[in-house]
Amino acid sequence: MSRLPPRPDLEWKDDGTPVSRAFDDVYFSLSDGLEETRSVFLKACGLPERWETTPRFTVAELGFGSGLNFLGLLACWKDSPKPDEAWLHFTSVEKFLMSADDARRVLARWADLADLTELLLARWPVRTKGLQRIEFPELRATLTLYIGDAEDWLSTCEFAANAWFLDGFAPAKNDSMWGDAIYQLMAQRSASGALVGTYTVAGHVRRGLAEVGFQVSKQPGFGRKRERLEAIWPENANIPSRPDLSLACPDKISFKQIVIVGAGIAGACAARAYAERGFAVKLIDQASGPATGASGNPIGLVMPRLDAADTPQARLLIQTYLRARRFYADRCPDELHHLDVRQIPQNDKEQIRFDKLMADPPLDEDWLSRGSEGLVHSGGVMVKPAELVARLTDHSNIELCWNTRLDDLNEIGQPASLVIIATGWQSPDLLGKVITPLTGKLGQVNWGTRQTKASEPAARASGSYILSLDETILFGATFEKIDPGQTPEVSDAATAENIAAAQTLAPDWLDGLDLSTLQARASVRGTTPDRMPIAGVCFEAERVRSVLQPLSKGADVSICLPHTPNVYALCGLGARGFTFAPLLAELIVAQSLGEPLPLARPEIEQVTPVRFLVRAVRKGTAFSSES
Ligand code: SAM
């Protein structure tokens, strides 16, 4: 199967209603799709009334289609009175994602939805497999869409639905959206008192839902349908246990304040996400201003790393990239410089990898194409880090505490505080025994002023990179060992290495540089043994080790691992901080607030702080900072 998700094969009725040829069914009622949304889904699920008592509310839908149900729900959400802390999460699944043009054609007929339609189309999901987190901060709402099969979604994604919209074509025409496995997973992902709405009254749907514990009733139907179904997941129902090792999802916690340590891009993204949810955040840093560590180069580049196979790691890398672009664009559009990034293979092996990637690309031609020398990433973005971090942290709910050093977590009084450690390579000092291996790598960049007039923003990458923005050309970065406690210093050797690399990558750019203006900056990036970042709740290493012992004998372990529920780590972002930070910060926010998680479990396992320990126990090796 191709890595690019399939598009639906659509036919159009005279009135503009789309029909799926593959399923031989309409996307919504021919009577009136929006009225159907209101009656079959919103009313059945007790909306808008339930928002008064459950202001942080999660709706889960099977079958995203054109997004009409989502927009109908958003319109109702927007117009309803609700408490200050209200936030709407809508999570859905779609195997055959429509193009934005087709969605526009579908949605055009509802003039009442025009403004919301434009908002959605401007952020329309990108055609790539897996989860995408798309926010509407202006509406206090989030869309978390899984592009793939419904059962995969339900078995790998964590959320607790307060309402379910079952909208997966007629059961007789599509058994992949209806069936015992689906109902069982729905039961596991239902919050106490969850309500279900659907247009069908098929006997096997009624029986299947009832068998796993939903209380089902028939109601008068909408349009040409005589009846429809409602169901309720009873209050305090016995939720069937989750089958697999829960590395990812700690319990919801209570706290009196949020303290984020480290005001680089990781801390800034986390602070912003909590602040937008309405929480007061203290962002502390020992420095006297933002982005003084690894986030502090004069220019930062957001570009994807694309792997040749569809693995959890490959998906994570794409998803972090997409989220970073959206996160910055929604909040700081003026700080972004959009560009095509040219990626040139470093060697023959990489050329083979590029060929493999282009034979079955994970993103379409709007994002990725072949250039004369390698790949072209059309969604690249450059930022000026200190300005971006300052803009992100400029929020009335964020208190900035400069020149404030924290040496011991006990100083901030946990467990009354929720603490996010985002201090880059210095994080282990604070996290002590709860953290995983993290080492520092010294990186130097050089930059200077162009002799000629400024050109369009441009970037070339091939292991090292060279960036051109306004009057500045910046290139680097070195990647060297540094001892703990050693102060990062620039060196002539690193400058020579950077010039040599830039000379190979873009000799003409270097010719245009006034070498008398050359400057250098060295900083330390936190990296991990598998080069993937660390994001999530912290675990208690010794207790986890003993709980995990059965793994060393090949047995499974299916419990929630002992963790420190109020301490989270967001570090080890290496040279990709600006790309990784927004989605990984969102993961932490979602975990700590009990929201639908923005990553599926296989992707979370790539970044969980406990992964090195799990691997060490499985292999029967000692766990050390080099694991
Ligand atoms: N709620 C949609 C709207 O507001 O436009 C209409 C949904 S339409 C009735 C059903 C959707 O389910 C289609 O978009 C279809 O592509 C999707 N679908 C069908 N089988 C699926 C599967 N196994 N997994 C995920 N999505 C599926």
Side-chain angles (χ1 to χ4, degrees):
M1 223 211 321
S2 133
R3 267 179 100 180
L4 266 186
R7 290 288 194 205
D9 185 5
L10 296 178
E11 214 173 82
W12 299 85
K13 298 258 183 211
D14 291 343
D15 68 353
T17 305
V19 180
S20 156
R21 282 207 185 93
F23 293 99
D24 183 28
D25 202 1
V26 281
Y27 274 68
F28 39 75
S29 168
L30 288 168
S31 311
D32 183 338
L34 183 56
E35 274 312 312
E36 181 188 36
T37 298
R38 291 179 179 139
S39 151
V40 174
F41 299 114
L42 300 195
K43 188 161 159 269
C45 289
L47 302 176
E49 295 77 14
R50 287 175 70 211
W51 290 329
E52 276 167 36
T53 48
T54 314
R56 296 180 163 264
F57 199 91
T58 298
V59 175
E61 176 193 55
L62 280 96
F64 183 72
S66 63
L68 175 62
N69 284 342
F70 175 53
L71 289 184
L73 177 74
L74 265 190
C76 180
W77 172 255
K78 188 168 158 256
D79 295 339
S80 302
K82 40 195 181 298
D84 287 350
E85 74 273 24
W87 200 282
L88 176 67
H89 281 278
F90 186 81
T91 182
S92 186
V93 61
E94 179 53 62
K95 194 166 177 176
F96 307 92
L97 180 72
M98 277 187 196
S99 66
D101 286 346
D102 282 340
R104 180 182 295 283
R105 183 170 169 187
V106 176
L107 298 167
R109 77 167 92 160
W110 288 287
D112 291 0
L113 296 180
D115 291 352
L116 292 176
T117 298
E118 282 315 312
L119 269 189
L120 175 61
L121 292 175
R123 295 166 201 185
W124 190 250
V126 174
R127 186 183 178 192
T128 190
K129 281 186 185 158
L131 263 193
Q132 281 178 57
R133 187 80 140 191
I134 301 174
E135 275 182 327
F136 299 85
E138 59 278 70
L139 298 171
R140 305 184 64 78
T142 301
L143 165 64
T144 307
L145 180 68
Y146 185 84
I147 300 180
D149 187 67
E151 198 173 326
D152 293 341
W153 169 56
L154 288 171
S155 49
T156 60
C157 295
E158 296 284 350
F159 57 87
N162 302 105
W164 290 94
F165 296 178
L166 304 190
D167 197 9
F169 291 134
K173 295 178 172 175
N174 184 17
D175 58 10
S176 67
M177 293 286 251
W178 313 87
D180 293 346
I182 298 277
Y183 310 138
Q184 182 71 32
L185 289 162
M186 279 176 59
Q188 286 173 14
R189 275 146 186 68
S190 289
S192 178
L195 298 182
V196 183
T198 185
Y199 43 74
T200 182
V201 281
H204 62 92
V205 175
R206 268 186 291 141
R207 286 188 298 277
L209 285 170
E211 224 148 78
V212 297
F214 287 95
Q215 294 165 356
V216 186
S217 63
K218 283 188 189 171
Q219 302 292 334
F222 173 79
R224 285 191 237 158
K225 291 198 193 289
R226 208 156 45 86
E227 294 177 306
R228 62 181 173 85
L229 283 189
E230 287 183 11
I232 175 164
W233 181 249
E235 301 278 343
N236 307 318
N238 209 359
I239 300 178
S241 64
R242 297 176 187 209
D244 41 18
L245 181 67
S246 177
L247 299 175
C249 202
D251 304 330
K252 210 167 144 178
I253 48 161
S254 56
F255 49 83
K256 292 215 175 77
Q257 64 164 349
I258 298 174
V259 179
I260 298 175
V261 194
I265 189 64
C269 290
R272 180 70 183 223
Y274 282 113
E276 285 176 1
R277 304 289 202 283
F279 292 96
V281 180
K282 258 190 184 165
L283 179 59
I284 69 176
D285 200 297
Q286 63 188 5
S288 53
T292 55
S295 304
N297 288 338
I299 310 175
L301 177 66
V302 176
M303 71 171 280
R305 190 190 110 191
L306 299 179
D307 288 353
D310 181 20
T311 61
Q313 180 171 309
R315 288 188 185 198
L316 176 85
L317 291 163
I318 292 172
Q319 289 161 15
T320 49
Y321 166 60
L322 296 180
R323 160 90 181 163
R325 297 182 75 261
R326 285 194 180 114
F327 185 82
Y328 302 138
D330 288 346
R331 288 151 183 92
C332 318
D334 299 341
E335 310 293 326
L336 299 193
H337 306 270
H338 297 271
L339 74 157
D340 288 350
V341 179
R342 298 182 188 275
Q343 188 179 9
I344 297 134
Q346 297 178 60
N347 47 40
D348 291 349
K349 207 169 139 205
E350 193 161 64
Q351 180 62 59
I352 293 169
R353 195 172 70 75
F354 284 5
D355 290 343
K356 226 172 129 188
L357 183 73
M358 292 310 294
D360 187 13
L363 290 164
D364 68 17
E365 60 285 355
D366 287 347
W367 295 85
L368 175 66
S369 55
R370 241 184 229 284
S372 54
E373 301 159 287
L375 303 178
V376 179
H377 302 285
S378 306
V381 164
M382 276 195 283
V383 296
K384 295 190 175 162
E387 288 163 31
L388 181 71
V389 170
R391 184 61 63 90
L392 286 173
T393 53
D394 181 12
H395 189 287
S396 55
N397 284 342
I398 302 177
E399 182 190 349
L400 297 165
C401 308
W402 305 123
N403 306 307
T404 308
R405 192 182 155 83
L406 184 76
D407 290 304
D408 182 348
L409 285 185
N410 293 320
E411 285 173 32
I412 40 179
Q414 337 154 45
S417 305
L418 171 65
V419 188
I420 317 296
I421 308 295
T423 42
W425 78 308
Q426 291 147 338
S427 299
D429 292 349
L430 271 178
L431 291 164
K433 65 181 166 51
V434 295
I435 189 58
T436 49
L438 189 68
T439 47
K441 292 281 183 225
L442 182 67
Q444 180 177 317
V445 292
N446 290 84
W447 70 95
T449 307
R450 310 169 59 92
Q451 284 169 331
T452 49
K453 217 167 113 275
S455 65
E456 292 288 298
R460 297 163 72 89
S462 183
S464 58
Y465 56 83
I466 183 162
L467 315 176
S468 170
L469 181 61
D470 300 335
E471 306 299 324
T472 305
I473 291 182
L474 178 142
F475 49 96
T478 54
F479 199 74
E480 305 158 60
K481 260 186 101 161
I482 184 164
D483 295 327
Q486 194 185 327
T487 311
E489 275 171 15
V490 299
S491 73
D492 290 345
T495 299
E497 188 184 321
N498 282 340
I499 290 178
Q503 201 53 271
T504 318
L505 207 50
D508 48 329
W509 295 21
L510 222 56
D511 290 346
L513 189 68
D514 177 356
L515 282 177
S516 69
T517 63
L518 207 59
Q519 300 183 58
R521 179 175 191 272
S523 64
V524 185
R525 294 155 309 182
T527 64
T528 64
D530 63 7
R531 299 279 180 267
M532 293 301 284
I534 288 172
V537 73
C538 290
F539 293 84
E540 296 175 37
E542 284 320 307
R543 284 180 58 210
V544 169
R545 174 186 287 285
S546 68
V547 168
L548 287 178
Q549 275 319 307
L551 290 182
S552 64
K553 302 187 184 71
D556 216 355
V557 174
S558 63
I559 66 155
C560 194
L561 295 174
H563 53 272
T564 49
N566 288 54
V567 183
Y568 283 75
L570 179 55
C571 47
L573 275 55
R576 297 189 163 269
F578 285 86
T579 309
F580 281 142
L583 185 56
L584 298 182
E586 182 76 359
L587 173 67
I588 285 174
V589 171
Q591 282 187 330
S592 61
L593 301 180
E595 297 178 351
L597 299 187
L599 287 168
R601 196 178 299 114
E603 281 83 288
I604 293 173
E605 286 172 7
Q606 304 300 306
V607 297
T608 176
V610 83
R611 67 189 185 272
F612 302 100
L613 184 50
V614 173
R615 286 174 200 160
V617 175
R618 274 210 176 102
K619 281 197 289 187
T621 54
F623 171 67
S624 74
S625 63
E626 297 303 317
S627 290

